[in-house]
Amino acid sequence: MTRMQPSRSGFYSDCVSSWFKLLILSARGCWQAKDEAVHTVETTHTGRQQLSEQNQRLSVMMLRGSLTILLVFVIKHTGSSQPTITEPRIRETQYPLPRKEFQLPCVADGDRPIRYTWVRNEVQLDPKLNPYLSVSENGTLTFSKFNSRENGNYTCKALNDDGYDISPAVTLIEARLATQWDVPETRMTKSSGEHMSLDCKDPPYSAPPPTIVWSFSRSQDSAGGDVSLDNRVTMDGKGTLHFAFVKESDSGSYKCGIYNSRLATRKLGSPVRVTVGGSGVPSQIEPRVIWHSKETTAVLGTEVKLECIFSGKPVPAVTWTRDGKDITMLTSKDDNPNGGVLRISSVQENDEGSYKCAGSNAAGTKHITIKLTIVSAPLWVNAPNNQVVLEGDNVTFLCKARAVGATSDMVTSWADGDAKMIISSDKSQVTFRDVSMGDNGCAHCTISNNIDYIAKTACFKVVNDSSELPPTTQTTREVTTTQRLTGKGSASNGALVAIVVVMLILGIVAAVGFVLWRRRQQNRVTFRVKKGDKETFEEKAKRRQTL
């Protein structure tokens, strides 16, 4: 637990005190204005101006009072205001350019000034020890010249006096494309009508993973271009180029190329020289499975592709079924024009099962069955949540998760523990007993398995008055007094906010209405000025003109 200084109670009392002062002044101003409207019948021009100024001051005080009521309510009922990190919010991998400046932002929402720290591979970064590293006041981590020594998992911690939050890890890997691609030139001879597969052998290391593109030229001297994919010529997910059947026009030189999108660099491998010959090719060749996805394991929520590629003449048409139902509409024509790729954009638990891929032409039909298994990182069952509790209560944070499929056992850990934090034997919960004012703090729970991890920070705030508890406060009490007596809970936050907004509007309307009423009263007052006073006034005006 990280201790936080109690800070809201004093602010509450100041706001309430100010509101009562404004309320008293407003009431006194209203009473004085009433007396003036009844008793004032002889008023000078200066008196009229003073009355107008008094009206303006009174309306401003009434408006301030209404705004103060709303401010106190909002602050009082928002509960704990520890930072909430809004960026980064998901696990991701980024590829900084080598020896270039790179910035990793950390954005957090919070009511109080926020301090930021960064952790790399579970070790807190100290910019004083690295001249190429800095952390700005707004949380941005800047590398003046990124290199491979900075590769790692980075997490941001946003901290203020009410608590903290920790971001998901961002993995940084220096963008790179290895220069060596030592693959010898090869030759291949095929007869017309046969199927052919060309492997992209041992491509060099690339970060991010490269895009594979094949090039083709008729001869060594010709410029050539990229291979066009169609129903007959396709490429699988590993970059192997497949021909359902070859023709003499397929003779030439093929090169596998990889493209690094971050570096905007392309590299070509050694050529494969293909010669296609023969005659008397049959017009029909029975389908045959030449490549397909093996038993596939996909992580819940990710995209998965199931692939099957057939040889044959004419080119076999591909269909997909599951449990006897046609699901060919899920195929991706972008990945395979012939429908050989079944794409599921975000797999769910009910997507697990067996998928049947069939290739058919006039000469026959062949099929293959691909099994899809779903696994997952830990999924929250009970995530720790922020709490506002009374002094003397016990505070319990739950941290439980489940996982889909055959994964490793889940491991739970708690950060920022101290002597007051009691961890259960299975680490599924922690308890702070008999908390007192000043014990406000946070705890951070992490659950991991062999797929990934989840983590969440929860904080608690101790108050000494039950009126400071939010309507939906999560405490160790199972039911409130109101629930025991009536069987109903407290009003929702939305209803309370609506009531206060109405109060604010009524306050503003009252202030404006009062000003308009006072002006109307002023217009009705008969300003009687004595004759002697009038003559004195005229004499004074003449003297001013003379001077």
Side-chain angles (χ1 to χ4, degrees):
M1 179 183 70
T2 300
R3 292 182 179 276
M4 305 297 165
Q5 295 296 325
S7 54
R8 287 266 172 100
S9 58
F11 186 65
Y12 286 152
S13 61
D14 291 342
C15 285
V16 173
S17 175
S18 300
W19 177 70
F20 275 115
K21 290 178 181 178
L22 288 170
L23 187 62
I24 293 170
L25 289 172
S26 298
R28 187 172 65 184
C30 289
W31 187 262
Q32 291 175 354
K34 175 179 176 296
D35 290 342
E36 291 170 358
V38 173
H39 299 292
T40 302
V41 292
E42 293 184 357
T43 307
T44 63
H45 292 284
T46 303
R48 179 191 289 263
Q49 183 178 2
Q50 291 175 347
L51 189 59
S52 176
E53 292 175 353
Q54 190 176 39
N55 291 337
Q56 293 176 5
R57 289 196 301 270
L58 184 58
S59 62
V60 169
M61 285 191 292
M62 294 177 68
L63 182 58
R64 286 178 178 174
S66 300
L67 292 175
T68 304
I69 292 172
L70 181 63
L71 177 62
V72 171
F73 177 86
V74 171
I75 293 176
K76 183 175 180 179
H77 289 278
T78 50
S80 182
S81 63
Q82 71 276 3
T84 300
I85 293 178
T86 58
E87 184 184 357
R89 287 310 303 167
I90 59 172
R91 291 285 305 275
E92 62 178 336
T93 301
Q94 297 187 28
Y95 301 90
L97 295 174
R99 296 177 295 281
K100 299 291 185 181
E101 181 180 277
F102 180 79
Q103 292 186 335
L104 189 58
C106 181
V107 180
D109 294 334
D111 293 341
R112 293 166 170 264
I114 300 174
R115 305 179 298 277
Y116 296 90
T117 59
W118 281 89
V119 173
R120 173 180 176 268
N121 297 338
E122 301 183 357
V123 177
Q124 184 169 325
L125 294 176
D126 185 356
K128 295 179 181 178
L129 302 179
N130 188 340
Y132 301 106
L133 188 70
S134 65
V135 179
S136 66
E137 292 184 359
N138 64 4
T140 299
L141 177 64
T142 300
F143 302 86
S144 60
K145 292 182 179 181
F146 194 92
N147 60 64
S148 59
R149 291 180 306 219
E150 312 293 348
N151 289 353
N153 296 318
Y154 289 79
T155 56
C156 172
K157 183 175 183 179
L159 174 74
N160 68 8
D161 290 341
D162 290 320
Y164 67 85
D165 194 15
I166 298 177
S167 74
V170 177
T171 301
L172 298 185
I173 301 175
E174 181 188 37
R176 180 169 168 258
L177 179 60
T179 57
Q180 297 295 323
W181 197 354
D182 297 325
V183 176
E185 179 180 327
T186 58
R187 294 181 178 274
M188 184 178 295
T189 301
K190 288 287 183 179
S191 299
S192 294
E194 286 188 292
H195 73 269
M196 180 174 69
S197 296
L198 303 179
D199 294 327
C200 188
K201 295 181 179 179
D202 303 324
Y205 171 82
S206 175
T211 300
I212 296 179
V213 180
W214 283 85
S215 65
F216 170 74
S217 61
R218 296 286 180 191
S219 63
Q220 286 183 309
D221 299 330
S222 61
D226 292 342
V227 174
S228 298
L229 301 180
D230 54 26
N231 287 354
R232 187 178 67 90
V233 183
T234 59
M235 185 173 64
D236 65 36
K238 295 184 178 180
T240 300
L241 194 64
H242 299 280
F243 295 76
F245 61 89
V246 293
K247 302 182 292 185
E248 291 188 20
S249 59
D250 293 325
S251 297
S253 178
Y254 294 84
K255 289 185 179 181
C256 176
I258 60 174
Y259 176 74
N260 184 304
S261 59
R262 191 72 176 96
L263 298 174
T265 302
R266 180 172 179 174
K267 188 174 181 60
L268 294 175
S270 298
V272 179
R273 304 197 185 280
V274 175
T275 301
V276 178
S279 59
V281 180
S283 60
Q284 294 183 357
I285 301 176
E286 187 179 12
R288 175 184 172 188
V289 179
I290 57 176
W291 193 89
H292 67 88
S293 301
K294 307 301 181 184
E295 182 173 336
T296 301
T297 298
V299 176
L300 184 73
T302 63
E303 181 180 88
V304 64
K305 294 179 183 180
L306 304 181
E307 299 181 69
C308 61
I309 298 176
F310 295 87
S311 64
K313 186 177 181 182
V315 176
V318 180
T319 57
W320 291 84
T321 57
R322 183 190 179 198
D323 298 330
K325 297 180 180 180
D326 188 356
I327 55 172
T328 306
M329 73 287 297
L330 299 178
T331 58
S332 171
K333 300 298 183 181
D334 293 335
D335 296 310
N336 188 320
N338 198 34
V341 176
L342 182 72
R343 181 199 293 264
I344 305 175
S345 59
S346 178
V347 294
Q348 303 301 313
E349 292 183 60
N350 58 6
D351 289 323
E352 184 172 276
S354 296
Y355 293 79
K356 185 176 180 180
C357 174
S360 303
N361 65 10
T365 300
K366 284 291 187 292
H367 68 266
I368 186 71
T369 299
I370 303 172
K371 183 178 180 181
L372 176 63
T373 302
I374 309 299
V375 296
S376 78
L379 305 171
W380 286 118
V381 174
N382 295 113
N385 293 311
N386 298 329
Q387 301 183 36
V388 180
V389 299
L390 288 175
E391 187 173 15
D393 280 346
N394 295 332
V395 181
T396 298
F397 291 127
L398 299 177
C399 187
K400 296 181 180 180
R402 68 179 182 91
V404 176
T407 62
S408 66
D409 293 336
M410 289 183 289
V411 178
T412 303
S413 61
W414 291 88
D416 296 320
D418 67 4
K420 281 195 172 185
M421 189 167 78
I422 302 173
I423 304 177
S424 63
S425 58
D426 62 354
K427 297 185 178 181
S428 64
Q429 67 180 42
V430 296
T431 301
F432 301 88
R433 297 190 181 278
D434 192 23
V435 296
S436 58
M437 298 298 293
D439 282 343
N440 301 344
C442 302
H444 183 76
C445 172
T446 301
I447 304 179
S448 61
N449 64 6
N450 62 315
I451 305 299
D452 207 341
Y453 76 89
I454 54 175
K456 189 176 181 184
T457 302
C459 300
F460 68 89
K461 173 186 173 183
V462 183
V463 297
N464 57 11
D465 187 347
S466 59
S467 66
E468 296 187 59
L469 294 174
T472 56
T473 296
Q474 184 182 19
T475 68
T476 54
R477 296 174 175 81
E478 295 184 0
V479 289
T480 64
T481 303
T482 302
Q483 290 171 323
R484 292 192 186 100
L485 295 177
T486 67
K488 298 179 180 180
S490 302
S492 66
N493 278 331
L496 289 174
V497 171
I499 292 171
V500 172
V501 170
V502 171
M503 290 173 60
L504 173 64
I505 294 173
L506 290 177
I508 295 173
V509 171
V512 174
F514 177 78
V515 172
L516 295 176
W517 176 80
R518 287 299 299 129
R519 288 182 178 178
R520 186 176 180 183
Q521 291 296 323
Q522 291 174 27
N523 293 334
R524 289 183 177 181
V525 173
T526 302
F527 290 92
R528 299 177 180 178
V529 183
K530 295 181 181 179
K531 183 178 180 181
D533 293 339
K534 182 177 181 180
E535 293 175 350
T536 303
F537 179 80
E538 292 174 351
E539 291 175 356
K540 291 180 179 179
K542 290 179 179 180
R543 284 199 299 272
R544 289 195 188 96
Q545 292 177 359
T546 302
L547 294 175

